Amino acid sequence: MYSLKKSLSLLLIFGMFIVLKAADKYDFKLSLDKKNGIYTKGDKIKLSLKYLLNRKAYNGPVSITVRTADWKTDTKVFDAPPAEFIYSTDKSPETVNFIVTPLNADKKPVLIGKGKRVRPRTFMIGAAIDPQEFKTGSAEPADFKQFWDNAKAELAKVPVKELERKELPVSNAKVGKVPSYFAFIIAAKMPFPKVLEGKFKAWDVKVACVGVPVSGVLTIPTNAKPKSLPAIVSFNGAPGKSAKAAFADNVIRFDVNPHGFENGQPDAFYKNIHATKLKAYMFRGTNNRDKCYFLGMYLRAQRALDYVKSLPEYDGKTLIVVGNSQGGGQTLAAAGLDSDVKLIYASVAAMCDHGGGLVNRRPGWPRLLRAKNGKAVVPAVGKTAPYFDAAIFAKYVKAEAYLTVGLVDEVCAPASVFCAYNNIPGKKHLAILPYHGHSRTYSLEFNKRLLEVIEAAAKK
């Protein structure tokens, strides 16, 4: 069986391979005078360009675009790459993206890709000015907690019970692309080795909930004793596919799909369901808090925790919740709803700062609320959106929290993640990634803490 530490070592080797491949692919380097990309009001941000193209010094024209949190841009064209580009602003808090684009002799962007994927070749790095000052564009509604207490009370009327439990063959199980924070998960899309046979059991389960049931894949080490194991509940990104099996020594794992649909289906099944039944699901009911699609999603997140806590093998005290993007938003909501959660990891979290547009700032995905001149274009949406803002849920998180933010994230705007992080009242850590866009993130700090928590639970 793979041990946690051995699997972490394998992950680090795999990560180094990815870095080496990236270095081989991109023959350039952008850097800031502050490595973490964090500045204070009045600072000059110094961008250095060490620019190579096809392993030869590139001396042709180049454009540098500065894009701020309000998504406004300012572009300057240079006949040759400057060694240093200096930018300063008195606006605080603020985020800044630097987008460097090589140009042809006619000053048009150099293109890469083929067919429909042809696009300008761009290189990006981000910075943030006083990010600790970011606050949500929408205030917390006065009855926010009461609304969710009432919703949880309605959920509690539905017994926590399995509607279905179908055993899955462990030796033939496969996982899709899994978050890197599961340091102990076997590499993606590889059959699990025979050594796992008899060591774990896996089930595709459905759990009763208000409305649509919870649908996920549960894995538990074979012969686990009652009240002996910590549990990890993981939530998935948008639009959402099947939940996946993941196996860990001495840990219950419950991976939840976002919408309660069937697991283990071909990709065509999920493409069809998102094109039909779930088309534009994120905007459903946004003019009525009692009909908003995210009400059901967040209650399924709570019910997933209820279910895991009801398992006889659960130790009753070590509940860990993780997720990426939409899953990160669900993670913040789940931890805000359930004070039993002890540790969370929210990677490039979505559903944060829906009201960003009210303060002339790009909100996080899915940008529920459109605003103009500081007001909601649809007033009813302006009233609904704050009840489903993961950054507001963050105020109620009691767990130790680890978050990541990509400073060039074009899906979940970095300001929106800063809003969530700033609202978390307790012990917390933020990995700030100046080069990172919207994709799964690595957090060695979280991986280390996760192993500590699991190993401590195993000793008790």
Side-chain angles (χ1 to χ4, degrees), residues 161-418:
K161 65 177 182 179
E162 294 177 348
L163 302 177
E164 296 180 17
R165 180 189 272 236
K166 181 174 64 176
E167 188 164 1
L168 300 174
V170 172
S171 61
N172 296 326
K174 294 184 180 181
V175 291
K177 294 180 178 179
V178 295
S180 60
Y181 40 74
F182 298 141
F184 41 78
I185 293 178
I186 310 304
K189 290 190 175 179
M190 292 182 64
F192 289 106
K194 292 287 186 181
V195 71
L196 292 178
E197 285 192 55
K199 306 298 183 182
F200 293 92
K201 288 189 175 181
W203 301 269
D204 184 354
V205 300
K206 285 194 174 181
V207 182
C209 188
V210 173
V212 178
V214 175
S215 178
V217 175
L218 174 70
T219 65
I220 301 178
T222 305
N223 301 323
K225 295 178 181 180
K227 299 184 182 299
S228 66
L229 300 178
I232 298 175
V233 178
S234 52
F235 299 110
N236 288 286
K241 293 185 179 181
S242 173
K244 300 175 178 68
F247 300 82
D249 290 334
N250 303 317
V251 179
I252 296 167
R253 282 281 291 104
F254 189 45
D255 189 58
V256 181
N257 81 50
H259 308 291
F261 46 43
E262 300 296 324
N263 296 310
Q265 302 300 309
D267 285 347
F269 170 86
Y270 301 107
K271 288 180 180 179
N272 179 66
I273 200 170
H274 285 296
T276 55
K277 186 178 179 180
L278 288 175
K279 186 176 182 180
Y281 66 87
M282 65 289 290
F283 300 114
R284 293 182 185 176
T286 51
N287 60 352
N288 185 331
R289 67 182 187 176
D290 296 316
K291 296 181 180 180
C292 181
Y293 186 86
F294 290 112
L295 174 59
M297 182 181 287
Y298 290 173
L299 288 179
R300 284 193 295 277
Q302 174 66 71
R303 179 44 51 99
L305 303 188
D306 296 338
Y307 170 64
V308 165
K309 289 189 287 185
S310 75
L311 296 172
E313 297 87 353
Y314 175 58
D315 68 9
K317 54 191 174 183
T318 315
L319 185 58
I320 302 162
V321 182
V322 296
N324 177 80
S325 188
Q326 178 179 256
Q330 292 173 83
T331 293
L332 291 168
L337 290 169
D338 194 329
S339 60
D340 288 340
V341 178
K342 301 303 181 188
L343 178 67
I344 69 169
Y345 180 53
S347 163
V348 291
M351 286 100 86
C352 294
D353 193 29
H354 293 313
L358 298 173
V359 290
N360 197 32
R361 187 174 68 224
R362 186 177 176 86
W365 183 94
R367 295 181 279 284
L368 290 184
L369 173 59
R370 292 173 54 236
K372 186 175 182 180
N373 298 325
K375 295 182 179 181
V377 173
V378 181
V381 178
K383 292 181 179 180
T384 298
Y387 290 94
F388 305 95
D389 192 328
I392 293 177
F393 275 101
K395 294 181 179 181
Y396 296 91
V397 171
K398 305 299 183 185
E400 183 178 347
Y402 289 75
L403 278 67
T404 58
V405 58
L407 294 187
V408 292
D409 192 336
E410 297 180 316
V411 178
C412 296
S416 70
V417 178
F418 284 122

